[in-house]
Amino acid sequence: MKHATYDKYPEVRIAGWENQAWSGWQAIQQALKTRLADAGKTVVVIDCYPGVRLEELREQLIDKLGPALLINAEAARLSENHLHDLLAQNLTDDRVFGVLSCHQLDEFFCPDRLDALRHEVDQAQGLVVVYGPGAALVHEGDILVYADLARWEIQQRFRTGELGNWGASNESEDVLRRYKRAFFIEWRVFDRHKTPLLKRADFLLDTNAADSPAMVSGEALRHGLQQTTQQPFRVVPFFDPGVWGGQWMKDKFDLDPAKPNYAWCFDCVPEENSLLLRFGDVRIEIPSQDLVLLYPRPLLGEKVHSRFGAEFPIRFDFLDTVGGQNLSFQVHPLTEYIQQHFGMHYTQDESYYMLEAEPGAEVYLGTRTGIDPQEMLDDLASAQRGEKAFDDEKFVNRFPARKHDHFLIPAGTVHCSGSGAMVLEISATPYIFTFKLWDWGRLGLDGLPRPVHLEHGAQVIDWQRDTAWVTEHLVNHFEPVADGDGWREERTGLHEREFIETRRHWFSKPVVHHTRGGVNVLNLVEGSEALVDSPTDAFEPFIVHYAETFIIPAAVGEYRISPYGSAAGQQLATMKAWVRG
């Protein structure tokens, strides 16, 4: 059955603010000119996320406003060499891993040059426009516009060679190194900078599509985000090919058939995904992280916010090896290792829930009982040097993988999915921290060897996770919890070392859930479609389709999920995750 009902562009419709959003440069110009009419001396600040096309912004908007004084805030930025020296400890020499930055944006600017720009603004008359990343460091703005950009779009611009890192002329540098600098430094610093700006911005400018901008008033944006925390919603999934990628998502989600495969889908990773807000005829795309940064408490709940801050700690994504190859053989760092080496305060515990599995599909999980750890490490090192293939049959357990199986993978457990599987990966969010131990001798799609981090992995493998331990603790731990008319609930994990609780609900009739003060993330793992509604009509009914991941903010409280449409009378299933109290 082809499930082409999967919505690749889910939107949150915001009612009552239709006249507060504009699309196209001409409408945006007019909206700002209306605001500027008869204003006397006015300072317009257009602060930007790194990667915004400043030339397009200047030519299509700023020049049309006719400023008496125009200042690019980047004139006060430190030189490329100065920035490199400042950031060297965070950048490291590694191709993939850096250290999370605690810098503030003003550290990247020359104080004397900032003061000189501020003096120019003070002395000017008429309309003054200050623009560029860090523009609000020059002046707080009589009118503040924030030009935003989704991280996935930034990555596409990295890949085409259009974009280097902020303050660096490195458009031709290895994409992984540019991504590393963005992940560990730029996005952290600019998220800190933009959060207070978004709380007071007069306008948000969506710059994701070239020559096709959209803008919304700050008041309407904040109202829209607040509304989003009171209802179920989805973020915008993105799909990516990979050397091991499969064909299942291409068929089931009606993706571009010209692509060779699809390996990943980030179906719920708010730090990376976009959020689409619909204001009448205007669609605004923002990083979904903006919602987390501005309204973490109603979204996450008090306990989750107190523990994680403005970070969304649960990740749902897809790994497709149907018609593809094995994932890389890998391990994730222990908590103390990720804290001490990378500055992250929690690690990537995870699990594999099997949405689909072909006959013969397997999951590699844990080491075989009785092996010599050093012998396995030596064998991996020989494989990495190209001397031989890693003898996985000798050292690693393989478990048959069937539809609806659930494999738990606490950090420190060696693992990978074999070919022929469609995995719903439920995990903690810091997904970049994967130590590849062996990649089956493959090159990446870029023709380069894929990074292997055996030296890191050797430090974190838990050798007690052997055949007997893994079988007892990590494979298909389904426990009945509750049942009612037409439904039953099962606890499926995760392991006690993991902070995420997961439950599976089978249902042919409505079943009531409750957030209990913490954010819930769910996926419809069986059945064509379901209806999510409020027993008290607190939010508009929300339809989800097979394999779609959706978020229930903590503030929602009670909600109900029912078979819907073509699924009426059928048995459906959801997988639900939340942070344990």
Side-chain angles (χ1 to χ4, degrees):
M1 177 180 179
K2 185 163 182 165
H3 296 280
T5 54
Y6 181 94
D7 187 357
K8 298 186 285 292
Y9 303 99
E11 298 177 342
V12 180
R13 292 190 172 271
I14 311 300
W17 296 83
E18 292 83 359
N19 65 344
Q20 294 293 304
W22 306 267
S23 62
W25 284 121
Q26 187 172 354
I28 292 168
Q29 293 163 20
Q30 188 57 50
L32 288 176
K33 286 178 179 178
T34 299
R35 181 69 177 268
L36 289 167
D38 303 319
K41 178 179 177 178
T42 306
V43 180
V44 175
V45 167
I46 307 178
D47 209 317
C48 305
Y49 211 67
V52 169
R53 295 182 173 105
L54 298 184
E55 184 175 352
E56 180 185 343
L57 181 65
R58 183 178 57 78
E59 293 178 352
Q60 299 298 329
L61 178 60
I62 298 172
D63 288 352
K64 301 295 194 296
L65 299 177
L69 175 64
L70 176 59
I71 292 176
N72 183 343
E74 291 186 321
R77 187 180 61 200
L78 296 176
S79 70
E80 181 172 352
N81 289 338
H82 194 159
L83 282 177
H84 188 274
D85 292 342
L86 177 67
L87 302 174
Q89 185 173 353
N90 296 90
L91 284 174
T92 74
D93 293 328
D94 191 275
R95 188 180 173 200
V96 175
F97 298 121
V99 178
L100 288 176
S101 168
C102 292
H103 294 91
Q104 299 296 324
L105 186 57
D106 60 1
E107 298 175 54
F108 298 170
F109 286 80
C110 171
D112 291 342
R113 278 183 263 164
L114 276 179
D115 285 341
L117 295 181
R118 291 166 184 151
H119 182 71
E120 283 189 62
V121 173
D122 290 342
Q123 297 301 306
Q125 298 298 316
L127 175 61
V128 178
V129 176
V130 185
Y131 76 105
L137 298 175
V138 177
H139 194 281
E140 66 177 12
D142 300 314
I143 297 174
L144 173 61
V145 181
Y146 193 83
D148 217 344
L149 185 62
R151 291 186 183 177
W152 182 236
E153 173 59 23
I154 292 172
Q155 293 178 59
Q156 302 316 298
R157 296 180 190 184
F158 281 162
R159 292 179 184 184
T160 62
E162 172 190 346
L163 187 63
N165 290 109
W166 186 69
S169 301
N170 64 344
E171 292 85 356
S172 60
E173 188 178 26
D174 176 9
V175 169
L176 288 181
R177 291 186 180 274
R178 279 180 283 156
Y179 177 84
K180 177 189 71 171
R181 182 162 173 163
F183 180 90
F184 284 95
I185 300 170
E186 291 164 17
W187 296 341
R188 310 296 161 178
V189 172
F190 277 93
D191 280 356
R192 291 185 199 112
H193 176 69
K194 81 173 177 178
T195 301
L197 300 183
L198 291 177
K199 292 178 179 179
R200 67 177 181 88
D202 297 285
F203 300 96
L204 178 133
L205 184 61
D206 166 6
T207 67
N208 287 282
D211 299 316
S212 185
M215 189 173 77
V216 64
S217 74
E219 188 178 7
L221 170 71
R222 292 182 287 271
H223 173 86
L225 292 177
Q226 286 179 308
Q227 177 187 317
T228 304
T229 67
Q230 306 298 312
Q231 65 182 67
F233 70 95
R234 295 183 61 226
V235 295
V236 182
F238 62 78
F239 303 87
D240 218 16
V243 66
W244 44 262
Q247 304 298 317
W248 192 92
M249 290 191 292
K250 184 190 294 188
D251 176 56
K252 296 299 186 292
F253 299 161
D254 194 24
L255 303 177
D256 184 356
K259 297 290 185 181
N261 65 59
Y262 287 94
W264 287 280
C265 169
F266 280 8
D267 202 36
C268 176
V269 189
E271 191 172 279
E272 293 279 330
N273 292 107
S274 296
L275 179 65
L276 297 179
L277 302 178
R278 167 71 64 177
F279 298 87
D281 294 332
V282 179
R283 188 178 79 179
I284 301 292
E285 179 178 2
I286 60 172
S288 50
Q289 181 70 358
D290 288 357
L291 177 65
V292 184
L293 294 172
L294 265 63
Y295 297 101
R297 295 178 127 178
L299 174 64
L300 302 176
E302 292 295 320
K303 289 183 179 179
V304 178
H305 179 242
S306 69
R307 181 172 175 183
F308 294 96
E311 293 186 15
F312 198 95
I314 301 171
R315 180 188 82 173
F316 276 39
D317 64 280
F318 298 133
L319 307 170
D320 183 356
T321 66
V322 176
Q325 305 174 27
N326 293 352
L327 300 182
S328 60
F329 182 56
Q330 60 193 240
V331 67
H332 299 299
L334 302 173
T335 302
E336 60 269 27
Y337 197 87
I338 204 169
Q339 290 172 341
Q340 293 167 6
H341 288 77
F342 308 113
M344 192 80 194
H345 62 279
Y346 62 101
T347 192
Q348 185 174 326
D349 295 304
E350 64 186 26
S351 70
Y352 288 167
Y353 187 84
M354 312 307 291
L355 274 180
E356 194 60 73
E358 294 183 319
E362 296 177 313
V363 166
Y364 296 67
L365 191 62
T367 56
R368 294 179 67 90
T369 298
I371 68 158
D372 179 344
Q374 189 57 54
E375 186 181 359
M376 174 172 151
L377 293 175
D378 290 344
D379 202 76
L380 285 165
S382 295
Q384 179 58 16
R385 292 192 297 266
E387 298 168 2
K388 61 184 293 297
F390 173 58
D391 192 353
D392 57 281
E393 290 192 25
K394 178 177 181 179
F395 296 107
V396 185
N397 303 307
R398 294 185 188 179
F399 293 91
R402 303 176 182 87
K403 184 179 177 70
H404 292 306
D405 281 350
H406 198 192
F407 300 89
L408 315 180
I409 313 172
T413 311
V414 297
H415 66 280
C416 73
S417 171
S419 62
M422 179 61 194
V423 174
L424 168 62
E425 187 176 50
I426 302 171
S427 75
T429 297
Y431 61 91
I432 195 175
F433 298 98
T434 296
F435 300 150
K436 293 184 181 70
L437 304 173
W438 166 240
D439 200 39
W440 316 99
R442 298 177 297 211
L443 298 178
L445 294 182
D446 57 5
L448 300 174
R450 300 181 76 215
V452 172
H453 286 90
L454 185 56
E455 70 283 2
H456 284 305
Q459 301 299 312
V460 301
I461 296 173
D462 188 333
W463 300 101
Q464 298 180 51
R465 309 263 170 89
D466 62 8
T467 309
W469 192 94
V470 167
T471 302
E472 180 180 354
H473 295 282
L474 302 185
V475 180
N476 285 336
H477 278 264
F478 297 106
E479 304 169 12
V481 172
D483 60 70
D485 182 20
W487 63 271
R488 70 182 189 275
E489 177 182 359
E490 300 165 329
R491 183 178 184 274
T492 70
L494 298 183
H495 185 260
E496 64 180 358
R497 288 187 62 91
E498 305 183 60
F499 63 74
I500 296 173
E501 179 70 14
T502 54
R503 299 287 174 89
R504 183 170 64 188
H505 286 77
W506 294 99
F507 60 103
S508 57
K509 294 183 178 181
V511 56
V512 175
H513 299 249
H514 202 291
T515 63
R516 306 200 184 283
V519 65
N520 291 184
V521 181
L522 300 94
N523 186 284
L524 185 63
V525 297
E526 184 69 39
S528 57
E529 54 186 342
L531 181 73
V532 186
D533 69 351
S534 166
T536 61
D537 296 322
F539 55 82
E540 291 291 321
F542 182 79
I543 297 173
V544 295
H545 304 99
Y546 175 66
E548 290 180 351
T549 299
F550 56 104
I551 297 169
I552 308 289
V556 166
E558 189 176 54
Y559 61 101
R560 179 172 52 202
I561 306 180
S562 310
Y564 183 74
S566 61
Q570 300 177 6
Q571 180 168 250
L572 289 73
T574 56
M575 277 293 293
K576 177 170 69 172
W578 71 88
V579 175
R580 291 177 177 138

